[in-house]
Structures are given as C-alpha cells and as structure tokens.
Amino acid sequence: MTDVLITAVELADLLKLEPCVVIDTRNPDAYAAGHLPNAVNVHEIFTFLATSTPEGMAELKTKFADAFGAAGLSGKETAVIYEQSMNSGFGQSCRGYYLLTMLGYPKVKVLHGGFDAWSAAGFPVTKDVPMPAKASFAIVPEAGEILIDAKTMLAAVGKPGVAILDVRDVDEWIGDSSSPYGKDFCPRKGRIPGAVWLEWYRMMKPTAEGPRFKSKDEILAECATVGISTTTPVYLYCFKGARASNTFLALKNAGVKDVRMYFGSWNEWSRDPSLPIEQGLPVAAQVTGKAA
C-alpha cells in the first residue's frame, strides 16, 4: 500500500501538484495562533464521543460526512490531516485518518510530525482563515466494516484467533485510572477480558525532530511481542478512538490486513455494567515448555 504518512517536504510539493484539502485537528486557539496555508479547522475530529448503538454509529457517519464536506472534500482532493506533533494530541490527526477511511474517502494523508514538522522546516504559516466551498461528500457503506460495536467486541472476547488490542497508557491498562481525563472519569477501571497490550507510544520512537512512527518492520516486531502477525484479525480500542487510530494507521501501514476498531472504546464499555471487565494488575500468561 502507499504510505499514509507524508513529510513536510513531500506535502509542500504535493500542494503544488494536485488539489488538496488540509485539515487542522487542533483546538481553535492553536489554529488561530497560526496554521498551514488554507488549512480548515475541524477540532471535532478529536472531541466527538461516539456510542456504538445503531443510532450512534449513524450519527457519527453523518456528522463527519457533513464536516468533511463543509471543509471542501468531494472525493477528488487529497485530504491531509495534521495535529501539533505525533504525541501531543493523543493521535488526533490519525483519528481523522480513521474517520475518513471508515467513510470510504479515497485519498488520505497524515502529516508526519504535524504542525511542528512543517514550521521547523521553515514552510509558511498563516493566521488567515479560508472559506472553503462546501462539497458533496459521499459515504461508502462497505468501508464502515472497520468500525465495530460493543456487541462485536463482546463476541470476540475469548474467541481464538482474534487479537483484542488495548493501546491505552499504562495507568489505564493496569486499572489504576479509568481515562486520560482523570482517574475516576468513568465508573469502572480495568480492561476488556483477554486483551493484549501495546501502549500506543510504542508505534513511534523519539528523533531529534520529535516523535516519528517506527518503520514497518519495527512495528511488525512490536506486534509479534503480543502474537499479532500480518494475518491476525485485530480489534483495537483505547478510550475514545484517538490513540487507537494512531495504532490503526501504524498497523495498516505495516501491512496488517484486517484491523478494525471499537470506536466507543473504554469510554462506552466501562459505562455498561453488563459488559465484562478484568480489574487490577494483569496476570502474566502461563509460559509452557520444559526448562533446558
């Protein structure tokens, strides 16, 4: 597959070559202080909380088809999404990539390194706010298969062959905190039973220019530590689908074929007392085999 990630230098070239719609996912204050030329601010990409009822999922699709259409995306343009840096917005630019992919948008890029990479390269920044012409945004229904609901996630619990992958921060994984918004933001702390864990930061590594995604082989090596190969069906979750979108991009870019996301994630799962959870410290898996 072609790489979803685009460097600042590549983006500067692309903007001269073909029609693009650049979307800034940061909060309105950061956007107002300076953004890429012609970038449209769509902060709801990060803030919108979804529920996985049929009504909730229909609302998610309609809301973002409208928002992306209002930003000027018709299907002809390349959508370019960015945040401040790859680790400052909980993967919010990747959440935009996931939403566009889930709606079936054909051409999506994520600015690798975000706004920081663009400004560090000396490319122009502006405070001018564009007035995009509203476009008709078409939803491709079958693309929505990468979005799974609580019922599908529940059916995967204990199912051999499906990897339930938790990518939240360590304090959430061990059941010390319920969310990034405070320890007791949600009524229950813990994990979806049977989940394996790769903290989302592990998809990236520090560089002199700030965090960047690891190479495809490095990402596959991380996956192998929890038994995931390119052919393993992976069901991702985090708190509200942002950090899991960062991992979704990493896994898809690395060639993992079947990656889906429970977008309601822990924010929804923990609030339904009928859904099972594991609490406390995770217990190590039993290692089998004879001593040498």
Side-chain angles (χ1 to χ4, degrees):
M1 64 175 279
T2 57
D3 204 318
V4 174
L5 298 166
I6 187 168
T7 66
V9 171
E10 289 165 344
L11 177 56
D13 290 340
L14 186 72
L15 292 171
K16 295 176 198 149
L17 295 173
E18 61 179 77
C20 295
V21 171
V22 180
I23 295 174
D24 184 318
T25 62
R26 299 174 303 159
N27 69 49
D29 290 346
Y31 174 79
H35 48 263
L36 272 66
N38 296 312
V40 183
N41 190 211
V42 189
H43 187 47
E44 288 166 323
I45 283 170
F46 179 57
T47 57
F48 186 80
L49 291 173
T51 55
S52 65
T53 59
E55 302 77 21
M57 289 166 94
E59 183 197 358
L60 176 72
K61 291 178 182 181
T62 306
K63 179 180 184 58
F64 283 102
D66 288 349
F68 291 131
L73 287 171
S74 69
K76 297 188 186 79
E77 307 80 13
T78 296
V80 180
I81 319 277
Y82 73 89
E83 57 186 282
Q84 187 72 31
S85 68
M86 299 321 291
N87 69 343
S88 58
F90 294 100
Q92 67 193 65
S93 58
C94 304
R95 199 181 200 240
Y97 159 70
Y98 175 81
L99 288 167
L100 281 162
T101 305
M102 182 268 294
L103 293 169
Y105 198 77
K107 296 186 282 190
V108 190
K109 297 283 186 188
V110 168
L111 175 56
H112 201 188
F115 179 81
D116 287 354
W118 178 266
S119 53
F123 291 123
V125 170
T126 182
K127 292 183 182 179
D128 295 344
V129 177
M131 299 293 289
K134 191 169 169 48
S136 173
F137 186 102
I139 295 173
V140 180
E142 55 271 26
E145 289 174 0
I146 61 169
L147 177 69
I148 59 174
D149 60 10
K151 200 184 299 178
T152 306
M153 190 59 123
L154 181 61
V157 172
K159 191 174 175 182
V162 175
I164 296 174
L165 181 57
D166 185 323
V167 303
R168 296 173 300 163
D169 291 19
V170 65
D171 57 343
E172 295 162 82
W173 168 250
I174 66 172
D176 182 46
S177 175
S178 72
S179 85
Y181 300 101
K183 289 194 172 199
D184 300 308
F185 186 83
C186 291
R188 299 192 293 171
K189 303 181 182 93
R191 309 164 287 289
I192 295 177
V196 294
W197 178 59
L198 281 177
E199 198 171 17
W200 71 290
Y201 295 113
R202 281 174 64 180
M203 299 298 114
M204 301 180 289
K205 61 184 178 185
T207 74
E209 287 78 42
R212 295 291 186 270
F213 277 95
K214 291 179 175 174
S215 72
K216 296 175 186 189
D217 284 349
E218 287 168 335
I219 286 163
L220 292 177
E222 293 286 2
C223 289
T225 65
V226 293
I228 292 171
S229 74
T230 55
T231 57
T232 309
V234 179
Y235 289 4
L236 290 169
Y237 77 96
C238 59
F239 177 71
K240 64 172 185 183
R243 291 169 291 178
S245 293
N246 178 287
T247 305
F248 177 86
L249 186 158
L251 266 52
K252 291 303 290 180
N253 235 12
V256 181
K257 293 177 183 68
D258 184 3
V259 188
R260 305 175 194 222
M261 197 201 306
Y262 169 42
F263 203 69
S265 281
W266 193 251
N267 182 56
E268 179 179 60
W269 189 275
S270 65
R271 296 180 195 281
D272 182 346
S274 74
L275 294 171
I277 64 170
E278 276 175 11
Q279 291 177 287
L281 271 176
V283 179
Q286 194 63 44
V287 178
T288 56
K290 299 186 178 108

